[in-house]
């Protein structure tokens, strides 16, 4: 991968994985990228729970989303949480800022994984089952589920996506 820009443009959501395992080292690199995201007041409100090469647990978690057919074939899932203990009411818009920080962390994860040759998909649909995900992973109620990210080696190379032309999204240029 020669530049951040090509990494951004080449990345696609991957929903079909081959059986190759994901290494612990790759997961640590992906989480390190997340950890270096910017965050409001550098409060780093993100927390992670990793399920790797654990078919039984991946099957249980995948049953909590309508996308279970492909999620259950993923070798690694990373749940991303917001630590609600870090929601300091003295800081205006803290929840919004923390949510934005976690979005930045997740995007870093997707790009770092792509650079490592791994595919990912950001799964938001599972948020409706936040309590059950937390219970399966054995994490504290102080952690709010923000996303589950699937990570694995893509079995397809021809993935396509599209975007509106940027000119449609620029509302002002003064
Ligand atoms: C907040 C958020 C939630 C998402 N939730 C899901 C999801 O539940 N299931 C899914 O298959 N893809 C999900 N996606 C992936 C989007 O569908 C995908 O990014 C979009 O269609 C653009 O495709 P691309 O990532 O290949 O460019 C989600 C993405 C974001 C940012």
């Amino acid at each position: 991968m020669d530049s951040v820009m090509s990494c951004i443009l080449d990345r696609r959501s991957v929903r079909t994985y081959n059986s190759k395992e994901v290494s612990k080292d790759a997961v640590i690199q992906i989480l390190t990228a997340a950890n270096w995201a910017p965050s409001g007041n550098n409060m780093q409100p993100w927390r992670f729970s990793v399920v790797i090469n654990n078919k039984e647990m991946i099957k249980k978690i995948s049953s909590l989303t309508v996308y279970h057919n492909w999620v259950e074939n993923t070798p690694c899932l990373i749940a991303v949480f917001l630590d609600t203990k870090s929601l300091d009411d003295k800081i205006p818009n803290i929840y919004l800022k923390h949510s934005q920080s976690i979005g930045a962390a997740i995007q870093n994860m997707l790009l770092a994984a792509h650079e490592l040759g791994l595919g990912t998909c950001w799964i938001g649909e599972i948020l409706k089952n936040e309590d059950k995900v937390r219970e399966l992973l054995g994490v504290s109620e102080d952690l709010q589920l923000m996303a589950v990210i699937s990570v694995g080696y893509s079995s397809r190379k021809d993935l396509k996506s599209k975007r509106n032309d940027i000119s449609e999204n620029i509302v002002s240029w003064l």
Side-chain angles (χ1 to χ4, degrees):
M1 199 62 56
D2 41 55
S3 72
V4 172
M5 195 65 184
S6 63
C7 194
I8 290 168
L9 297 180
D10 290 348
R11 182 210 57 81
R12 296 277 71 83
S13 293
V14 170
R15 300 179 180 89
T16 46
Y17 298 97
N18 67 29
S19 55
K20 187 172 170 188
E21 293 192 349
V22 176
S23 70
K24 185 178 170 195
D25 182 57
V27 173
I28 294 292
Q29 288 191 63
I30 290 166
L31 295 180
T32 301
N35 212 33
W36 276 93
S39 61
N41 299 70
N42 200 14
M43 288 175 78
Q44 305 165 55
W46 42 71
R47 302 289 180 269
F48 307 99
S49 176
V50 178
V51 182
I52 186 167
N53 307 322
N54 179 343
K55 285 198 170 99
E56 198 184 336
M57 181 57 76
I58 284 172
K59 189 151 180 107
K60 284 182 184 162
I61 294 171
S62 65
S63 73
L64 302 175
T65 164
V66 292
Y67 301 113
H68 58 89
N69 285 342
W70 61 264
V71 176
E72 70 185 19
N73 296 319
T74 306
C76 175
L77 294 175
I78 303 177
V80 183
F81 297 94
L82 183 157
D83 185 354
T84 61
K85 290 200 301 307
S86 67
L87 288 169
D88 179 346
D89 327 328
K90 291 188 281 308
I91 303 175
N93 301 311
I94 187 68
Y95 183 77
L96 187 56
K97 288 180 186 174
H98 276 5
S99 304
Q100 291 171 349
S101 305
I102 287 173
I106 295 174
Q107 179 68 353
N108 275 8
M109 294 168 73
L110 307 192
L111 294 177
H114 185 59
E115 188 181 33
L116 293 169
L118 283 157
T120 54
C121 190
W122 181 325
I123 305 162
E125 196 275 337
I126 201 167
L127 295 178
K128 64 184 184 193
N129 281 319
E130 172 181 13
D131 291 348
K132 288 178 182 154
V133 172
R134 241 194 335 245
E135 194 182 321
L136 279 173
L137 297 175
V139 302
S140 153
E141 287 190 5
D142 293 330
L143 301 185
Q144 180 184 1
L145 183 65
M146 301 301 276
V148 172
I149 311 301
S150 57
V151 185
Y153 290 91
S154 179
S155 57
R156 288 183 55 186
K157 292 209 183 309
D158 57 334
L159 297 169
K160 303 242 181 309
S161 191
K162 58 185 178 187
R163 297 292 187 272
N164 300 333
D165 191 275
I166 186 56
S167 61
E168 294 175 41
N169 292 331
I170 298 172
V171 293
S172 160
W173 186 314
L174 306 172

